[in-house]
Amino acid sequence: MVSIDVLNSEEIIKELCLCNGVNYDRIRQDGPATKTLEMFFSGFPKMVGLFYFPNLTNLTLVGQSIERICNLKSCPLLEELWVTECLLTRIEGLQDCQHLKKLFLYHNSITTIESLENLNKLEVVWLNDNEIDVIEGLDTLLSLKELNLAGNLIHSIGICLDPNVHLERLNLSGNKISSFKEITNLSRLPNLKDLGLKDPHYSPNPVCLFCNYATHVLYHIPQLQRLDAYDVSHKQIKDLAESTVMKKLMYYNMRAKTISRQLREELEKLKDLKIKLEQTPKDRIKRLIFHRKILEENLSDLQASKKYRQYISKPHDHIQQQSAIAESNSSEKEESNRSDSDLKEQICQKLCTLKERIQFWTEKMDEIDSLHEKEVARTEQSFDLLAQFLQTELETVGNVRFEEGTPSDSWFKSCYDLILSRFCASNFKTFGITGVKINRIVRVHNRILRFRFEERLQDYLDNEDGTAAEDYKKTLEYLFYNLDPVISVKKNNLLQILEDGFTVTKNSQLYDQEQEESVLLSNSLGFYETSKLEQETNEEANHYDPELFKHGKLIISKVFLGHNVQAQQFLPIKLANYPDANSVFRPLKSNSSTLCSSDDEICPSKELQPCDCSLRRCDWFVFDADLVLPEYIVEYEYITQGVSNMTCSPSSITAGEFSNEIKLDEDLIAMEPVIKPRPKIIALDERTILSIAKANMYSQITILNLHGNSLSKLKEISKLHGLHKLIISFNEFTSLEDVSCLPNLEYLDASHNHLISLEGFKGLGKLKHLDLSWNELTKTMDEINVLRRHAAHLLTLNVAHNPWQKPALVRMVVIGRLKSLTRLDGLLVTKEEVSESSKFSTGVRITQALLQISARTDHIRPRCLSLLPSAQIISQISKNCLDPYAEFNNSWYHMITSVNLVGQNLSRITNLEKLENLRWVSFSNNHLSRIEGLENCVKIEELCLDGNCITKLEGLSKLVNLRHLSINNNQLTSFDKGVIDNLSHLHFLSVENNRINSLAGLQKAQSLIELYLSNNQISNTQEIYTLKGLNNIVILDLHSNPISLNHDNYRLFVIFHLSPLKALDGSAVDPVECENAKDMFGGRLSSDMVAEKIGHQNFIELQELNWRSSSIRSVDLVPADHFKSVHAVNLENNNLTSFSGLIFLSHVKSLYLNYNHIESILPRQKSQNHLTNRQILHQKVNSSGYGQQGKNNRDTLFGESLSPIMQSLEVLHLGFNGISNLQQLQLGRLKSLKSLFLQGNEISQVEGLECLQYLQELVLDHNRIKMISETSFAKQSSLVSLRMEENRLRDVNNLHPLVKLKKLFIGFNKIQDISEVEKLEALPTLLELSISGNPITRKMFHRQLIVLRLQNLQILDGIAVTSEERARAEMHFLEQQTLSGQNSSIEVVHPVSTLFLNKAPPLRVTNVYLPGGNHHHIPGPDLYLNNAQDDIFPNESNKHKKTKHHGGVMNNPRSVNAEIAFRQFKGGTSISSTYLQQGSQNRAAHLQGSNLEHEGRFGNGTVRQNRM
């Protein structure tokens, strides 16, 4: 390589020719034909010889020592230029390259993008690896498709790339971009497909290291195909990003709604406080006006009559009545002698004083209003700051987060103590400040600033020695940045500081020294206020207003002070003046008046020592803003002397400040002439009217004063055709309909009444003066429109002190609508007001000019992380406005997609019929009373109608594409039937702050995801069932409704019934709440649940409840009186453990509780220590069944005394409940029970039935009963049917008390001895018996023997016992007796003795008569009936014990035959298979009959009247 020192231009050209194969000697001839030149790493210092190549299109210079781009004027056709890895410091010399398409200037030292303005064809620009810190100079490159700015010092993007709409590839890797807002700016590049922010070849931008980076990019730039060298073209990736952002938007929108609700609640508190504070002034004003009007009336009468007349008026209170009456007699004589002039003078003097007192109280009310307005403004500003915090969180995708602290947070306490420790009241004593109150502390979590702080701190420590690095924590300090309380948050750059950090500023905040190139902080609270107050005090002695600084904000920052030095006097604080310091501190100067002047002034933080806080107060100047990390924002309030805020007690103000004033009023009222009491007029008649008017006939009456009575109607008033003046103040009127018949009326005073509407007010065209003050009018537009139509010539009008909906607009609306008005509310109407109110004259209409301003033509909603309505977002950021010079035709209207008409004072929606493509529209904050004019705008997707006066949703039915509807702050009372049904795509519905009392109409809103209904009038929990079909609902807000305020466990109730919910009332639904909701309300049969099923709440006609297989665990049907007609309840196959709330259904006759887990009527009381969490939770629910007996409620009626309950209950089914102990079941309390079914349980002993004296039917099948004790049925004398099949009985003892028993079923037990059947002879009325399935049935002839033994039996084992069967049985056993007599020596007269003395030979049987009457031959070997020596049945008197007979011969042959048969049958024998088969058939028939009988009681759902 040739040395650079000896190279000249000729040598450079030769080298250039050599490297590109060009003959230097023929360069002039061959040069023009050369299109491409390349030179790599030759070290050439400059660009020369290019004039030899006039047609050059491609020039590449890599690795040279070139410092400037020059000599390209001779290459006008150049299309591609590479000057890379050189020494360029600026872009220049390209102005003649008009055809340049590609420019590569990477790896240089370029600091500014410049000189590219004329390169209109430039498509590719690579400026990577330079020192560029600002993107600029590209706005004219409209053809630019690829831009590489990687490896520079760029911090922001801004709007610099907006003109480059054709840009497809952009690489910004390796820069300093740390804000997500900067990435959002790239969303305005519609063709961007390839973006690099953390290219693998470069270090990533700081923003790439934070959460949700990729999601944020993909959402805002959905057309991207590659991101950071990764393929992101798959639809799944884009959908996931959009879904994530949509969830974020929903979440932050919910939080914004919560803040709005909290603001509304705070404003309501301020309003209530204002009302309380104004109560005393209002009462005094009313009282004084009342007396003033009486005096004015009397003065008028006095002037008219020229003589004294009796002075009558309304008493002011009870004490004054007594005083007036007491003084009446003593003053009558004096008054009778007083001349009219003296009386007139007294009245005028008293009137003048009354007006002064009224003016005094009016001023007091004005002061309260002013104070209220200030508090409202401060509160709104505070909550607006919280809303801005939310917006910042959203825009930074959660990387900047704000956490509002509570006293329970540990960091809150630390921060609170820090602030108090940095405040000294001694420094503020001169200014009337005695303390400080912390109103709010918000913690700032800024990942971006923390990353920058830690990175900068680490860089500093890396450059320090080991000792300094170890001790760095000693120089970490928390310092305050005090915001100017007079300047707004925006001007203070508060949000910018919290998001982007502090910036080194040159704007001084001090008054006595210049501040430059540093961040100004302080270690004490209020240094700014003291500095400014001191300055004001110096400028004008003792003239300052501490109220200006009463409320303030400060930022608490973590600061690394590093090497710090004290500031030198008269030396400006600049880094150049303190080169070795990271920070500078300066002790704060204080005037002697602000310091402690004596030892008795004590700092609150050190009560036992003299205050020396001022000696420690310092201002700090930090040169590196990255070492200042804002961590807390604090709202505080100085406590001042005196009462000057709205937080004081209203009663204290009334009792203290106003007590003397009230006394002055009373003394004034007692002045001469004293008003005497008079009776109130309740109704008018002809005599009364003539008496009051002092006239003889109606035609004479022109003035009628009815002040101070109790009138609510004006009867007979229609006859006063000549009436000009009417005074009806201080009465009970709610309407002015009665005055409509007075066409000549010119003056009407209706103040101090209860008017709620002017409906019916008409026909008063001559009315000039109208007083409607101190009433209850609310609807501004409606009432003023009535006056405009029927009293258009009014000159004076007073509508003050009414609760208007929008009080701030009342004056303008009235002046705009009533053109003739000269005085309003006692004030003259000015020309400026008339001019300003002109837009209220008829209401603004939607004109073409208005559309031109407010409409946009965007086809895609901007991807913007904002919580504003889409129409407002588009209006703010979109540039797609309508052409003001375009012709107004149909195509002009069809272009409009968005209209933002917020706050335009619209009274109607008109002229939108042609906007067929309208998609986003906002009509918020207008005066609309109905929804109209949108029928043709069927493509509307988002509609905002907040802040109007709409009462119905009519007019929305055709908006089938509507997805987002917001109609907050209106006057809706319900959802119009069928309107919401047509909105099948509605995802978002917000109806906050209305008067909604029912959710009917939302049942079919299946697509609804977000529903906001806070601050309405929903009170019935049944309304929640209306929403159960909304399977997609995720967010629901019912805060500030009666349902959320008055119902216990409201939140768990809603969570249980609306399982898809993820957030309720602004709080997330966590899994623990879901579990608690299931525990509390899962399986709870309540009135609401019944109402949901039957569709109404008229339970009076309900006769049956059928809730089988519904997983019910408890019953809570309250009030129980509403279910008094219910006589049958079926709760089979549920999870009940007790009767629960069923015990209060006193008229139930049949109760079916099979297949539950009943333990007792009411559960056994448990100590709290032994209760499970679920049982403790159930104690909170009425009638849940757990732990209710011990409480002082209705369950205590049925404690240990076992008092009767459910006295109408006759049939009770408790089968298959796992019952093992009848005693604990407490069935004895069901005194009226007639049928009890306990089959399928685990009962082993029959007990606890003693009190069931009316029991007629008892079923105990399929249990574990082994025996019947003496007390089991001791008192069941009324029992008619007893079933005890499938138990473990071996005997049938102790059944003798059942004297009325007719049916006994004891089949499938373990009865073996035939002698047990003999015990049943004690049941004289037994008609039906079942013993099938017992071992006894395997014995031959058991049926014949039982038939013989139980003479009254009619049915045995389900088969009727006929007389023929009984005769055959007798005959058979007679034959057996005869046969037995031939083969044995049995003594018939002594059967028992013989049985034990002699053993009879076996009896051979070949033919038997089986039941049914058929004669069967028994095949096989002969059947032998052995006459075994077993026990025999005794006689009737001794049947319960084994005895031997010692008596004479039996005279009854039938009894003898039966005895012989029983002796033979008790012997061991075998039974043929034929007989067993027949027994099995009988058993099956019996079971089938039993089942059919059970189904008949409540079978197949029991179809009955009014059954559910």
Side-chain angles (χ1 to χ4, degrees), residues 580-841:
D580 297 328
N582 300 102
S583 59
V584 176
F585 67 91
R586 186 190 62 183
L588 186 65
K589 295 180 181 179
S590 297
N591 293 336
S592 59
S593 61
T594 63
L595 298 175
C596 303
S597 58
S598 62
D599 293 341
D600 58 349
E601 294 192 23
I602 304 299
C603 175
S605 60
K606 295 185 177 183
E607 299 181 357
L608 302 179
Q609 300 179 8
C611 177
D612 60 350
C613 296
S614 59
L615 302 178
R616 299 190 299 271
R617 300 175 69 196
C618 294
D619 299 334
W620 284 89
F621 304 87
V622 183
F623 295 121
D624 191 346
D626 289 344
L627 293 176
V628 182
L629 177 64
E631 289 197 344
Y632 304 95
I633 176 71
V634 181
E635 294 182 12
Y636 62 91
E637 173 185 352
Y638 288 125
I639 301 173
T640 57
Q641 296 175 349
V643 179
S644 60
N645 56 47
M646 296 194 69
T647 59
C648 55
S649 171
S651 60
S652 65
I653 293 179
T654 302
E657 182 181 354
F658 293 155
S659 57
N660 294 331
E661 302 297 336
I662 294 174
K663 186 176 184 302
L664 289 176
D665 291 345
E666 297 303 321
D667 292 342
L668 173 60
I669 293 172
M671 285 176 57
E672 293 291 339
V674 178
I675 299 175
K676 298 179 181 180
R678 67 182 182 186
K680 291 184 178 181
I681 301 173
I682 301 176
L684 289 179
D685 53 26
E686 182 178 355
R687 181 179 178 182
T688 304
I689 293 175
L690 293 175
S691 174
I692 294 173
K694 294 181 172 53
N696 297 323
M697 59 184 65
Y698 280 165
S699 59
Q700 298 176 351
I701 301 176
T702 59
I703 299 175
L704 183 62
N705 193 331
L706 299 173
H707 163 79
N709 289 287
S710 298
L711 295 171
S712 60
K713 294 289 184 181
L714 290 174
K715 296 180 179 179
E716 299 288 330
I717 199 74
S718 59
K719 300 178 182 179
L720 304 179
H721 300 295
L723 191 64
H724 292 166
K725 184 175 182 179
L726 175 62
I727 300 174
I728 55 173
S729 56
F730 288 94
N731 278 278
E732 305 294 332
F733 291 100
T734 58
S735 171
L736 294 179
E737 186 176 358
D738 293 339
V739 303
S740 300
C741 55
L742 302 174
N744 296 312
L745 194 65
E746 297 179 359
Y747 184 100
L748 175 60
D749 182 358
S751 60
H752 297 276
N753 279 280
H754 305 289
L755 299 177
I756 59 176
S757 173
L758 295 182
E759 186 177 356
F761 183 89
K762 57 185 178 180
L764 300 177
K766 295 183 179 181
L767 192 65
K768 299 291 189 297
H769 309 279
L770 176 61
D771 191 346
L772 296 173
S773 60
W774 301 93
N775 278 283
E776 299 174 12
L777 301 173
T778 58
K779 300 179 180 180
T780 307
M781 300 300 294
D782 293 347
E783 313 306 350
I784 303 306
N785 285 336
V786 170
L787 295 178
R788 184 188 178 200
R789 288 193 298 268
H790 303 291
H793 299 93
L794 277 175
L795 298 178
T796 63
L797 175 64
N798 194 339
V799 292
H801 304 290
N802 280 281
W804 299 109
Q805 291 172 345
K806 297 182 179 181
L809 297 177
V810 171
R811 187 170 181 86
M812 288 295 100
V813 172
V814 173
I815 295 174
R817 296 298 177 94
L818 302 177
K819 296 295 185 179
S820 60
L821 208 62
T822 59
R823 186 177 291 271
L824 175 61
D825 296 340
L827 300 176
L828 286 174
V829 177
T830 64
K831 294 181 179 179
E832 292 78 10
E833 288 178 324
V834 173
S835 175
E836 184 181 352
S837 64
S838 59
K839 58 186 178 183
F840 292 94
S841 59

Side-chain angles (χ1 to χ4, degrees), residues 262-276:
Q262 292 171 349
L263 171 60
R264 186 169 60 244
E265 291 173 353
E266 289 299 319
L267 294 181
E268 285 296 324
K269 291 178 182 178
L270 289 176
K271 183 178 178 181
D272 293 341
L273 182 56
K274 176 191 173 185
I275 292 173
K276 292 178 181 178

Side-chain angles (χ1 to χ4, degrees), residues 1163-1179 1185-1188 1191:
R1164 298 182 299 277
Q1165 186 173 1
K1166 300 179 181 180
S1167 65
Q1168 191 77 9
N1169 295 333
H1170 294 88
L1171 292 180
T1172 65
N1173 291 334
R1174 176 172 292 188
Q1175 291 168 337
I1176 293 174
L1177 184 62
H1178 270 279
Q1179 286 185 333
Y1186 282 108
Q1188 298 294 320
K1191 297 182 180 180

Side-chain angles (χ1 to χ4, degrees), residues 501-568:
F502 289 92
T503 56
V504 173
T505 177
K506 295 184 179 181
N507 296 325
S508 175
Q509 293 187 23
L510 300 180
Y511 295 93
D512 59 350
Q513 183 172 350
E514 180 185 10
Q515 175 210 349
E516 292 186 358
E517 301 178 1
S518 63
V519 178
L520 173 60
L521 303 167
S522 175
N523 64 355
S524 63
L525 177 64
F527 86 99
Y528 182 87
E529 291 88 333
T530 54
S531 300
K532 189 160 186 177
L533 284 171
E534 287 171 6
Q535 186 194 36
E536 291 186 359
T537 305
N538 293 333
E539 292 176 354
E540 188 173 349
N542 299 324
H543 179 72
Y544 50 82
D545 184 9
E547 287 293 323
L548 294 175
F549 306 95
K550 182 173 182 179
H551 298 278
K553 298 180 181 66
L554 64 88
I555 299 174
I556 302 178
S557 303
K558 179 189 286 187
V559 183
F560 178 71
L561 299 175
H563 297 294
N564 54 85
V565 296
Q566 184 171 346
Q568 299 179 22

Side-chain angles (χ1 to χ4, degrees), residues 868-1020:
L868 293 174
S870 298
Q872 294 186 39
I873 295 174
I874 295 173
S875 178
Q876 291 176 3
I877 68 176
S878 174
K879 298 179 181 179
N880 299 318
C881 303
L882 291 168
D883 185 0
Y885 303 104
E887 183 181 355
F888 295 139
N889 50 29
N890 289 336
S891 61
W892 187 86
Y893 288 104
H894 291 168
M895 293 171 60
I896 297 175
T897 58
S898 172
V899 173
N900 180 28
L901 293 171
V902 175
Q904 297 295 324
N905 298 307
L906 300 175
S907 58
R908 292 186 62 191
I909 301 175
T910 56
N911 300 326
L912 298 183
E913 296 81 5
K914 298 179 181 180
L915 275 59
E916 297 178 355
N917 294 315
L918 188 62
R919 297 175 61 187
W920 308 286
V921 59
S922 178
F923 297 108
S924 298
N925 300 326
N926 285 287
H927 308 289
L928 304 176
S929 58
R930 55 184 299 181
I931 304 172
E932 57 184 346
L934 299 176
E935 293 78 8
N936 295 333
C937 307
V938 295
K939 293 185 179 180
I940 290 181
E941 297 178 8
E942 182 174 329
L943 177 61
C944 189
L945 293 162
D946 299 343
N948 285 282
C949 306
I950 298 170
T951 58
K952 293 185 178 181
L953 289 177
E954 295 175 348
L956 295 177
S957 301
K958 295 185 178 180
L959 305 183
V960 294
N961 293 302
L962 192 63
R963 295 173 175 270
H964 187 290
L965 175 60
S966 181
I967 191 166
N968 306 316
N969 301 306
N970 280 276
Q971 301 171 24
L972 296 174
T973 57
S974 63
F975 295 101
D976 298 342
K977 187 177 181 181
V979 173
I980 303 296
D981 296 352
N982 296 329
L983 309 181
S984 58
H985 296 92
L986 191 64
H987 292 169
F988 177 97
L989 177 59
S990 182
V991 202
E992 296 181 302
N993 201 26
N994 279 273
R995 302 170 186 173
I996 301 290
N997 53 35
S998 173
L999 298 181
L1002 295 178
Q1003 296 93 328
K1004 296 183 180 180
Q1006 300 293 334
S1007 300
L1008 208 57
I1009 298 176
E1010 299 176 74
L1011 178 58
Y1012 295 94
L1013 293 163
S1014 66
N1015 200 31
N1016 278 281
Q1017 298 175 7
I1018 301 168
S1019 58
N1020 195 336

Side-chain angles (χ1 to χ4, degrees), residues 17 56 86 240 294 321 367 413 453 535 650 898 911 939 943 961 1084 1134 1190 1231 1292 1410 1458 1460:
C17 292
L56 192 66
C86 295
L240 178 61
I294 294 178
Q321 289 180 33
E367 290 178 8
K413 182 68 166 57
F453 177 85
Q535 186 194 36
S898 172
N911 300 326
K939 293 185 179 180
L943 177 61
N961 293 302
R1084 181 184 178 191
N1134 283 289
K1231 301 293 185 180
V1292 288
L1410 297 180
I1460 294 174

